[in-house]
Amino acid sequence: MPVTRRELLKVGAGAAAAALAGTETAAAAASASAAGRFDLAAPATQLIWKKALYDETVLQSFAFDNTNGHIYLAQLKNGSGSAAAGDLCVTKLSLSGSVLGHMYLKGFGHGVQIGVEPSGGSAYLWTETDAVADGSGNAWGRRLARFKFVNGQTLTTSSSALTKYTLISGATSTTCAIDPSTNRLIMRCRVDGQARFVAYSLAAVKAGTATKLYDVAQPSGLGVFQGYTAYGDYLYLLDGTAYGTANPPPGNTYITCVDLRTGAKVQRSLSQAGKSLDYREPEGMAIQIVSGRPRLCLGLASGTAGARKASIFYKSALI
């Protein structure tokens, strides 16, 4: 549903004003941001269930256009060489799961997380780009890119439609999410081999004046990393693997809450959302805003190879 400026001020507690001002000082002053954190032990509710995407590969990540009521989902492009080349497909869905369009991104990365910036009746996507293969059959981006979603378009890393950003020199495996409650961009990257999360004012990133608001290390003790998002001063991390002989139902999908101000692990909880799904691999997180209220969403891939499906569940209870 559309989010008005008044609603953004309500959930953002002043952070929207920081984005409009476009200054790091204002953004830092808005550190109180959205009130509360999600209760990870609360039950999850189904949003979409086993929907086919434009390509038939596993959902990697997703993000909401909370203004226009759309979901954008990143996948590896169909084809055996897509992972090594960093070729992605982005599918645009309605909130009921109907396919509304797609784009192909060639040489961008693995799609572990994406961000969406609504703009009028359309949206700009934020993704990794300039992928480099790691020798294990996968490729990961080294910079961030912003571009307008255009249905049916194929972009390469040299496309004039891209605006690229290097926020930390030498960083690798760069991805990002956007917190709609604060208009912050949260970048996950590796610096000297260590996974880190760095928060910036989105307006300042676009203006070329970004400085770090928060910079914390990824906590230890996680399983296979599968996605992240942020709401206010809290970061939410997803880890786990698909069902299998060594990982039978209800699986090993966990959500972890981290305080962006300190890097401290606040809560960690096993998620049994969609536990009846076959395959069931956790993939991606995002914040949805409905009638001014936030939802913490996680994605799940299911189905057989060549016919994968996407499901999304959410938690809305705040502490």
Side-chain angles (χ1 to χ4, degrees):
M1 294 181 64
V3 179
T4 67
R5 186 167 181 248
R6 179 175 294 180
E7 288 166 341
L8 274 175
L9 288 170
K10 180 179 179 181
V11 299
L20 291 171
T23 65
E24 290 296 333
T25 300
S31 61
S33 64
R37 61 179 175 85
F38 291 98
D39 181 1
L40 303 186
T45 302
Q46 176 186 309
L47 179 63
I48 64 171
W49 179 253
K50 295 198 289 189
K51 297 297 184 180
L53 304 182
Y54 188 81
D55 277 11
E56 295 79 20
T57 55
V58 166
L59 157 73
Q60 294 290 327
S61 63
F62 64 99
F64 289 91
D65 177 344
N66 287 303
T67 298
N68 297 299
H70 300 138
I71 316 172
Y72 293 86
L73 305 96
Q75 323 159 240
L76 290 176
K77 184 178 180 296
N78 277 338
S80 59
S82 292
D87 294 345
L88 302 176
C89 175
V90 174
T91 298
K92 178 181 178 180
L93 293 184
S94 69
L95 292 180
S96 62
S98 298
V99 174
L100 302 177
H102 79 285
M103 290 185 74
Y104 286 126
L105 313 176
K106 303 191 74 173
F108 277 56
H110 200 71
V112 171
Q113 198 60 56
I114 63 171
V116 172
E117 177 193 351
S119 178
S122 186
Y124 283 83
L125 305 186
W126 289 77
T127 70
E128 64 197 295
T129 191
D130 296 355
V132 174
D134 65 1
S136 69
N138 295 306
W140 313 88
R142 293 177 294 128
R143 304 175 70 187
L144 298 181
R146 177 183 184 264
F147 55 91
K148 189 173 185 178
F149 179 86
V150 179
N151 183 31
Q153 190 173 67
T154 296
L155 298 181
T156 67
T157 57
S158 61
S159 171
S160 61
L162 301 181
T163 302
K164 296 185 180 182
Y165 301 88
T166 302
L167 300 180
I168 299 177
S169 179
T172 60
S173 299
T174 54
T175 58
C176 68
I178 294 173
D179 176 359
S181 74
T182 60
N183 283 316
R184 290 177 186 151
L185 181 143
I186 314 297
M187 181 175 73
R188 181 180 185 262
C189 60
R190 290 191 174 274
V191 179
D192 297 327
Q194 169 69 58
R196 305 195 68 82
F197 296 89
V198 188
Y200 301 92
S201 157
L202 178 62
V205 171
K206 289 162 54 178
T209 60
T211 57
K212 298 177 182 178
L213 301 178
Y214 300 118
D215 183 352
V216 298
Q218 180 172 301
S220 60
L222 304 186
V224 175
F225 190 82
Q226 298 284 15
Y228 62 99
T229 193
Y231 178 71
D233 288 330
Y234 293 96
L235 183 67
Y236 299 90
L237 315 179
L238 183 68
D239 67 89
T241 55
Y243 284 160
T245 303
N247 180 36
N252 60 4
T253 296
Y254 282 86
I255 304 174
T256 301
C257 177
V258 174
D259 192 324
L260 270 170
R261 296 161 294 187
T262 64
K265 190 187 300 183
V266 177
Q267 187 181 13
R268 179 170 169 82
S269 181
L270 177 72
S271 173
Q272 297 190 43
K275 64 181 180 180
S276 66
L277 289 168
D278 59 331
Y279 183 74
R280 190 182 178 269
E281 184 175 14
E283 299 284 359
M285 301 197 80
I287 299 295
Q288 183 187 26
I289 306 292
V290 178
S291 299
R293 297 183 63 83
R295 293 173 171 177
L296 176 66
C297 301
L298 70 148
L300 297 165
S302 64
T304 59
R308 300 296 191 195
K309 301 293 189 294
S311 298
I312 295 175
F313 285 76
Y314 67 87
K315 296 174 182 285
S316 55
L318 292 171
I319 296 174

Coordinates of all heavy atoms in Angstrom, one line a residue, residues 206-278:
K206 N 23.7 8.7 -2.8 CA 23.3 9.2 -4.1 C 24.0 10.6 -4.4 O 24.4 10.9 -5.5 CB 21.8 9.4 -4.2 CG 21.1 8.1 -4.3 CD 19.6 8.1 -4.0 CE 18.9 9.1 -4.8 NZ 17.4 9.1 -4.5
A207 N 24.2 11.4 -3.4 CA 24.9 12.7 -3.5 C 26.4 12.6 -3.6 O 27.1 13.6 -3.9 CB 24.4 13.6 -2.4
G208 N 26.9 11.4 -3.3 CA 28.4 11.3 -3.3 C 29.1 11.8 -2.0 O 30.3 12.1 -2.0
T209 N 28.3 11.9 -0.9 CA 28.8 12.5 0.3 C 28.7 11.5 1.5 O 28.7 11.9 2.6 CB 28.1 13.8 0.7 OG1 26.7 13.6 0.8 CG2 28.3 14.9 -0.4
A210 N 28.6 10.2 1.2 CA 28.3 9.2 2.2 C 29.4 9.1 3.2 O 30.6 9.0 2.8 CB 28.0 7.9 1.6
T211 N 29.1 9.0 4.5 CA 30.0 8.6 5.5 C 29.3 7.5 6.3 O 28.0 7.5 6.4 CB 30.4 9.8 6.4 OG1 29.2 10.4 7.0 CG2 31.2 10.8 5.7
K212 N 30.0 6.7 7.0 CA 29.4 5.6 7.7 C 28.6 6.1 8.9 O 29.1 6.9 9.7 CB 30.5 4.6 8.2 CG 31.4 4.0 7.1 CD 32.5 3.1 7.8 CE 33.4 2.5 6.7 NZ 34.5 1.7 7.3
L213 N 27.4 5.6 9.0 CA 26.6 5.8 10.2 C 26.9 4.7 11.3 O 27.0 4.9 12.4 CB 25.1 5.8 9.9 CG 24.7 6.9 8.9 CD1 23.2 6.8 8.6 CD2 25.0 8.3 9.4
Y214 N 27.0 3.4 10.8 CA 27.3 2.3 11.6 C 28.2 1.3 10.8 O 28.1 1.3 9.6 CB 26.0 1.5 12.0 CG 25.0 2.3 12.8 CD1 23.7 2.5 12.3 CD2 25.3 2.8 14.0 CE1 22.8 3.2 13.0 CE2 24.4 3.5 14.8 CZ 23.1 3.7 14.2 OH 22.2 4.4 15.0
D215 N 29.0 0.6 11.5 CA 29.9 -0.4 10.8 C 30.1 -1.5 11.9 O 30.8 -1.3 12.8 CB 31.2 0.3 10.5 CG 32.2 -0.6 9.7 OD1 31.9 -1.8 9.6 OD2 33.2 -0.1 9.2
V216 N 29.5 -2.6 11.6 CA 29.6 -3.8 12.5 C 30.0 -5.0 11.8 O 29.7 -5.2 10.6 CB 28.3 -4.0 13.3 CG1 28.0 -2.8 14.1 CG2 27.2 -4.4 12.4
A217 N 30.7 -5.9 12.5 CA 31.1 -7.2 11.9 C 29.9 -8.2 12.0 O 29.1 -8.1 12.9 CB 32.3 -7.8 12.7
Q218 N 29.9 -9.1 11.0 CA 28.9 -10.1 11.1 C 29.2 -11.0 12.2 O 30.3 -11.4 12.4 CB 28.9 -10.9 9.8 CG 27.9 -12.1 9.7 CD 27.8 -12.7 8.3 OE1 27.6 -12.1 7.4 NE2 28.1 -14.0 8.3
P219 N 28.2 -11.3 13.1 CA 28.5 -12.1 14.3 C 28.9 -13.5 13.9 O 28.5 -14.1 12.9 CB 27.1 -12.1 15.0 CG 26.1 -11.8 14.0 CD 26.8 -10.9 13.0
S220 N 29.6 -14.2 14.8 CA 30.0 -15.6 14.6 C 28.8 -16.5 15.0 O 27.8 -16.1 15.5 CB 31.2 -15.9 15.5 OG 30.8 -15.7 16.9
G221 N 28.9 -17.7 14.6 CA 27.9 -18.7 15.0 C 26.7 -18.9 14.0 O 25.8 -19.6 14.3
L222 N 26.8 -18.2 12.8 CA 25.8 -18.4 11.9 C 26.0 -19.6 11.0 O 27.1 -20.0 10.8 CB 25.7 -17.1 11.0 CG 25.5 -15.8 11.6 CD1 25.2 -14.7 10.6 CD2 24.3 -15.8 12.6
G223 N 24.9 -20.1 10.4 CA 25.1 -21.1 9.4 C 25.3 -20.5 8.0 O 25.9 -19.4 7.9
V224 N 24.9 -21.2 6.9 CA 25.1 -20.6 5.6 C 24.3 -19.4 5.4 O 23.1 -19.3 5.6 CB 24.7 -21.7 4.5 CG1 24.8 -21.1 3.1 CG2 25.5 -22.9 4.6
F225 N 25.0 -18.3 5.1 CA 24.3 -17.0 5.1 C 23.4 -16.9 3.9 O 23.8 -17.2 2.7 CB 25.4 -15.8 5.0 CG 24.8 -14.5 5.2 CD1 24.6 -14.0 6.4 CD2 24.5 -13.7 4.1 CE1 24.0 -12.7 6.6 CE2 23.9 -12.4 4.3 CZ 23.7 -12.0 5.5
Q226 N 22.2 -16.3 4.1 CA 21.2 -16.3 3.0 C 20.4 -15.0 2.8 O 19.6 -14.9 1.9 CB 20.1 -17.4 3.3 CG 20.6 -18.8 3.4 CD 20.9 -19.4 2.0 OE1 21.0 -18.7 1.0 NE2 21.1 -20.7 1.9
G227 N 20.7 -14.0 3.6 CA 20.1 -12.7 3.3 C 20.0 -11.8 4.6 O 20.3 -12.3 5.7
Y228 N 19.6 -10.6 4.4 CA 19.5 -9.6 5.5 C 18.6 -8.5 5.2 O 18.3 -8.2 4.0 CB 20.9 -9.1 5.9 CG 21.6 -8.3 4.8 CD1 21.6 -6.9 4.8 CD2 22.3 -9.0 3.7 CE1 22.3 -6.2 3.8 CE2 22.9 -8.3 2.7 CZ 22.9 -6.9 2.8 OH 23.5 -6.2 1.8
T229 N 18.3 -7.7 6.2 CA 17.5 -6.5 6.1 C 17.7 -5.7 7.4 O 18.3 -6.2 8.3 CB 16.0 -6.7 5.8 OG1 15.5 -5.5 5.3 CG2 15.3 -7.3 7.0
A230 N 17.2 -4.5 7.4 CA 17.3 -3.6 8.6 C 16.0 -2.9 8.8 O 15.3 -2.5 7.9 CB 18.5 -2.7 8.5
Y231 N 15.6 -2.7 10.1 CA 14.5 -1.8 10.5 C 15.0 -1.0 11.7 O 15.3 -1.6 12.8 CB 13.3 -2.7 10.9 CG 12.1 -1.9 11.3 CD1 11.4 -1.1 10.4 CD2 11.8 -1.8 12.7 CE1 10.3 -0.3 10.9 CE2 10.7 -1.1 13.1 CZ 10.0 -0.3 12.2 OH 8.9 0.5 12.6
G232 N 15.1 0.3 11.5 CA 15.6 1.2 12.6 C 17.0 0.8 12.9 O 17.9 0.7 12.0
D233 N 17.3 0.6 14.2 CA 18.7 0.4 14.6 C 19.0 -1.1 14.7 O 20.0 -1.5 15.4 CB 18.9 1.1 15.9 CG 19.0 2.6 15.8 OD1 19.5 3.0 14.7 OD2 18.6 3.3 16.7
Y234 N 18.2 -1.9 14.1 CA 18.4 -3.4 14.2 C 18.5 -4.0 12.9 O 17.8 -3.7 11.9 CB 17.3 -4.0 15.0 CG 17.2 -3.6 16.5 CD1 16.4 -2.6 16.9 CD2 18.1 -4.2 17.4 CE1 16.4 -2.2 18.2 CE2 18.1 -3.8 18.7 CZ 17.3 -2.8 19.1 OH 17.3 -2.4 20.4
L235 N 19.4 -4.9 12.8 CA 19.8 -5.7 11.6 C 19.2 -7.1 11.8 O 19.3 -7.7 12.9 CB 21.3 -5.7 11.4 CG 21.9 -6.4 10.2 CD1 21.6 -5.6 9.0 CD2 23.5 -6.4 10.5
Y236 N 18.7 -7.7 10.7 CA 18.2 -9.0 10.8 C 18.9 -9.9 9.7 O 18.9 -9.5 8.5 CB 16.6 -9.0 10.5 CG 15.9 -8.2 11.6 CD1 15.7 -6.8 11.5 CD2 15.6 -8.8 12.8 CE1 15.1 -6.1 12.5 CE2 15.0 -8.1 13.8 CZ 14.7 -6.7 13.6 OH 14.2 -6.0 14.6
L237 N 19.4 -11.0 10.1 CA 20.2 -11.9 9.3 C 19.5 -13.3 9.2 O 18.9 -13.8 10.1 CB 21.6 -12.1 9.9 CG 22.3 -10.9 10.4 CD1 23.6 -11.2 11.0 CD2 22.4 -9.8 9.3
L238 N 19.6 -13.8 8.0 CA 19.0 -15.1 7.7 C 20.1 -16.1 7.3 O 21.0 -15.8 6.5 CB 18.0 -15.0 6.5 CG 17.2 -16.2 6.1 CD1 16.2 -16.6 7.1 CD2 16.5 -15.9 4.7
D239 N 20.0 -17.3 7.9 CA 21.0 -18.4 7.6 C 20.3 -19.7 7.6 O 19.2 -19.9 8.2 CB 22.2 -18.4 8.5 CG 21.9 -18.7 9.9 OD1 21.9 -19.9 10.3 OD2 21.6 -17.8 10.7
G240 N 20.9 -20.7 6.9 CA 20.3 -22.0 6.8 C 20.5 -22.7 5.5 O 21.0 -22.0 4.5
T241 N 20.1 -23.9 5.3 CA 20.2 -24.6 4.1 C 18.9 -25.3 3.7 O 18.0 -25.4 4.5 CB 21.4 -25.7 4.1 OG1 21.1 -26.5 5.3 CG2 22.7 -25.0 4.3
A242 N 18.9 -25.9 2.5 CA 17.7 -26.6 2.0 C 17.5 -27.9 2.8 O 18.5 -28.5 3.4 CB 17.8 -26.9 0.5
Y243 N 16.3 -28.4 2.8 CA 16.1 -29.7 3.4 C 17.0 -30.8 2.7 O 17.3 -30.7 1.5 CB 14.6 -30.2 3.2 CG 13.6 -29.5 4.1 CD1 12.3 -29.5 3.7 CD2 14.0 -28.9 5.3 CE1 11.3 -28.9 4.6 CE2 13.0 -28.4 6.1 CZ 11.7 -28.3 5.8 OH 10.7 -27.8 6.6
G244 N 17.3 -31.8 3.5 CA 18.1 -32.9 2.9 C 18.3 -33.9 4.0 O 17.8 -33.8 5.1
T245 N 19.1 -35.0 3.6 CA 19.3 -36.1 4.6 C 19.9 -35.6 5.9 O 19.5 -36.0 7.0 CB 20.2 -37.1 3.9 OG1 19.7 -37.6 2.7 CG2 20.4 -38.3 4.9
A246 N 20.8 -34.6 5.8 CA 21.5 -34.1 7.0 C 20.7 -32.9 7.6 O 21.1 -32.4 8.7 CB 22.9 -33.6 6.7
N247 N 19.6 -32.5 6.9 CA 18.8 -31.4 7.4 C 17.3 -31.6 7.2 O 16.7 -31.0 6.3 CB 19.3 -30.1 6.7 CG 18.5 -28.9 7.2 OD1 18.1 -28.8 8.4 ND2 18.2 -28.0 6.2
P248 N 16.8 -32.5 7.9 CA 15.3 -32.9 7.7 C 14.4 -31.8 8.3 O 14.9 -30.9 9.1 CB 15.2 -34.2 8.5 CG 16.2 -34.1 9.6 CD 17.4 -33.4 9.0
P249 N 13.2 -31.8 7.9 CA 12.2 -30.8 8.5 C 12.2 -31.0 10.1 O 12.4 -32.1 10.6 CB 10.9 -31.3 8.0 CG 11.2 -32.0 6.7 CD 12.5 -32.7 6.9
P250 N 12.1 -29.9 10.8 CA 11.7 -28.5 10.3 C 12.9 -27.7 9.8 O 12.8 -26.5 9.6 CB 11.1 -27.9 11.6 CG 11.9 -28.5 12.7 CD 12.1 -29.9 12.3
G251 N 14.1 -28.3 9.7 CA 15.2 -27.6 9.1 C 16.1 -26.8 10.0 O 15.9 -26.8 11.2
N252 N 17.0 -26.0 9.4 CA 18.0 -25.2 10.2 C 17.9 -23.7 9.8 O 19.0 -23.1 9.8 CB 19.4 -25.8 10.0 CG 19.8 -25.8 8.5 OD1 19.1 -25.2 7.7 ND2 21.0 -26.3 8.3
T253 N 16.7 -23.2 9.5 CA 16.6 -21.8 9.1 C 16.5 -21.0 10.4 O 15.6 -21.1 11.2 CB 15.3 -21.6 8.2 OG1 15.5 -22.3 7.0 CG2 15.1 -20.1 8.0
Y254 N 17.4 -20.0 10.5 CA 17.5 -19.2 11.7 C 17.4 -17.7 11.3 O 18.0 -17.3 10.2 CB 18.7 -19.4 12.5 CG 18.7 -20.6 13.4 CD1 19.1 -21.9 12.9 CD2 18.3 -20.6 14.7 CE1 19.0 -23.0 13.7 CE2 18.2 -21.7 15.5 CZ 18.6 -22.9 15.0 OH 18.5 -24.0 15.8
I255 N 16.8 -16.9 12.1 CA 16.9 -15.4 12.0 C 17.6 -14.9 13.2 O 17.3 -15.3 14.3 CB 15.5 -14.8 11.9 CG1 14.7 -15.4 10.7 CG2 15.6 -13.3 11.7 CD1 13.2 -14.9 10.7
T256 N 18.5 -14.0 13.0 CA 19.3 -13.4 14.1 C 19.2 -11.9 14.0 O 19.2 -11.3 13.0 CB 20.8 -13.7 13.9 OG1 21.0 -15.2 13.9 CG2 21.6 -13.1 15.0
C257 N 18.9 -11.3 15.2 CA 18.8 -9.8 15.3 C 20.1 -9.3 15.9 O 20.6 -9.8 16.9 CB 17.6 -9.5 16.2 SG 17.5 -7.7 16.5
V258 N 20.6 -8.2 15.3 CA 21.9 -7.6 15.7 C 21.6 -6.1 15.9 O 21.0 -5.5 15.1 CB 23.0 -7.8 14.6 CG1 24.3 -7.0 15.0 CG2 23.3 -9.3 14.5
D259 N 22.1 -5.6 17.0 CA 22.1 -4.1 17.2 C 23.1 -3.4 16.3 O 24.3 -3.6 16.5 CB 22.3 -3.8 18.7 CG 22.0 -2.4 19.1 OD1 22.2 -1.5 18.3 OD2 21.5 -2.2 20.2
L260 N 22.6 -2.6 15.4 CA 23.6 -1.9 14.5 C 24.5 -0.9 15.2 O 25.6 -0.6 14.8 CB 22.8 -1.1 13.4 CG 22.4 -1.8 12.2 CD1 21.4 -1.0 11.3 CD2 23.7 -2.1 11.3
R261 N 24.1 -0.5 16.4 CA 24.9 0.5 17.1 C 26.1 -0.1 17.8 O 27.1 0.6 18.0 CB 24.0 1.2 18.1 CG 22.9 2.0 17.5 CD 21.7 2.4 18.5 NE 21.1 1.1 18.9 CZ 20.0 1.1 19.7 NH1 19.4 2.3 20.1 NH2 19.4 0.0 20.1
T262 N 25.9 -1.4 18.2 CA 27.0 -2.0 18.9 C 27.6 -3.3 18.3 O 28.6 -3.8 18.7 CB 26.5 -2.4 20.3 OG1 25.4 -3.4 20.2 CG2 25.9 -1.2 21.1
G263 N 26.8 -3.9 17.4 CA 27.2 -5.2 16.8 C 26.8 -6.4 17.6 O 27.1 -7.5 17.3
A264 N 26.1 -6.1 18.7 CA 25.8 -7.2 19.7 C 24.6 -8.0 19.1 O 23.7 -7.5 18.5 CB 25.4 -6.6 21.0
K265 N 24.7 -9.3 19.3 CA 23.6 -10.2 18.9 C 22.6 -10.2 20.0 O 22.8 -10.4 21.1 CB 24.2 -11.7 18.8 CG 23.2 -12.7 18.2 CD 23.8 -14.1 18.3 CE 25.1 -14.2 17.5 NZ 25.6 -15.7 17.6
V266 N 21.3 -9.8 19.6 CA 20.2 -9.5 20.5 C 19.3 -10.7 20.7 O 18.9 -11.1 21.8 CB 19.4 -8.3 20.0 CG1 18.2 -8.1 21.0 CG2 20.3 -7.1 20.0
Q267 N 19.0 -11.4 19.6 CA 18.1 -12.6 19.6 C 18.4 -13.5 18.4 O 18.8 -13.0 17.3 CB 16.6 -12.1 19.5 CG 15.6 -13.2 19.7 CD 14.2 -12.7 19.6 OE1 13.9 -11.6 19.2 NE2 13.2 -13.5 20.1
R268 N 18.2 -14.7 18.6 CA 18.4 -15.7 17.5 C 17.3 -16.8 17.7 O 17.1 -17.3 18.8 CB 19.8 -16.3 17.5 CG 20.0 -17.4 16.4 CD 21.5 -17.8 16.4 NE 21.7 -18.9 15.5 CZ 21.9 -18.9 14.2 NH1 21.7 -17.8 13.5 NH2 22.1 -20.0 13.5
S269 N 16.6 -17.1 16.6 CA 15.4 -18.0 16.7 C 15.3 -18.8 15.5 O 15.4 -18.4 14.3 CB 14.1 -17.1 16.9 OG 13.0 -18.0 17.1
L270 N 15.0 -20.1 15.7 CA 14.7 -21.0 14.6 C 13.3 -20.6 14.0 O 12.4 -20.4 14.7 CB 14.6 -22.5 15.1 CG 14.2 -23.5 14.1 CD1 15.3 -23.8 13.1 CD2 13.8 -24.8 14.8
S271 N 13.3 -20.6 12.6 CA 12.0 -20.3 11.9 C 11.5 -21.6 11.3 O 12.2 -22.3 10.6 CB 12.3 -19.3 10.8 OG 11.1 -19.1 10.1
Q272 N 10.2 -21.9 11.6 CA 9.6 -23.0 11.0 C 8.5 -22.5 10.0 O 7.7 -23.3 9.5 CB 8.9 -23.9 12.1 CG 9.9 -24.5 13.0 CD 9.3 -25.5 13.9 OE1 8.5 -26.4 13.5 NE2 9.6 -25.5 15.2
A273 N 8.6 -21.3 9.5 CA 7.7 -20.8 8.5 C 7.8 -21.7 7.2 O 8.9 -22.0 6.8 CB 8.1 -19.4 8.1
G274 N 6.7 -22.0 6.7 CA 6.6 -22.8 5.5 C 7.3 -24.2 5.6 O 7.8 -24.8 4.7
K275 N 7.2 -24.8 6.8 CA 7.9 -26.0 7.1 C 7.4 -27.2 6.3 O 8.1 -28.2 6.1 CB 7.9 -26.4 8.6 CG 6.5 -26.7 9.1 CD 6.5 -27.0 10.6 CE 5.2 -27.4 11.1 NZ 5.2 -27.7 12.6
S276 N 6.2 -27.1 5.7 CA 5.7 -28.2 4.8 C 6.2 -28.1 3.4 O 6.0 -29.1 2.6 CB 4.2 -28.1 4.8 OG 3.7 -27.0 4.2
L277 N 6.9 -27.1 3.0 CA 7.5 -27.0 1.7 C 8.4 -28.1 1.4 O 9.2 -28.5 2.3 CB 8.2 -25.6 1.5 CG 7.3 -24.4 1.4 CD1 8.2 -23.1 1.5 CD2 6.5 -24.3 0.2
D278 N 8.5 -28.5 0.2 CA 9.5 -29.5 -0.3 C 10.8 -28.6 -0.6 O 10.7 -27.4 -0.9 CB 9.1 -30.3 -1.5 CG 8.7 -29.4 -2.7 OD1 8.2 -28.3 -2.5 OD2 8.8 -29.9 -3.8

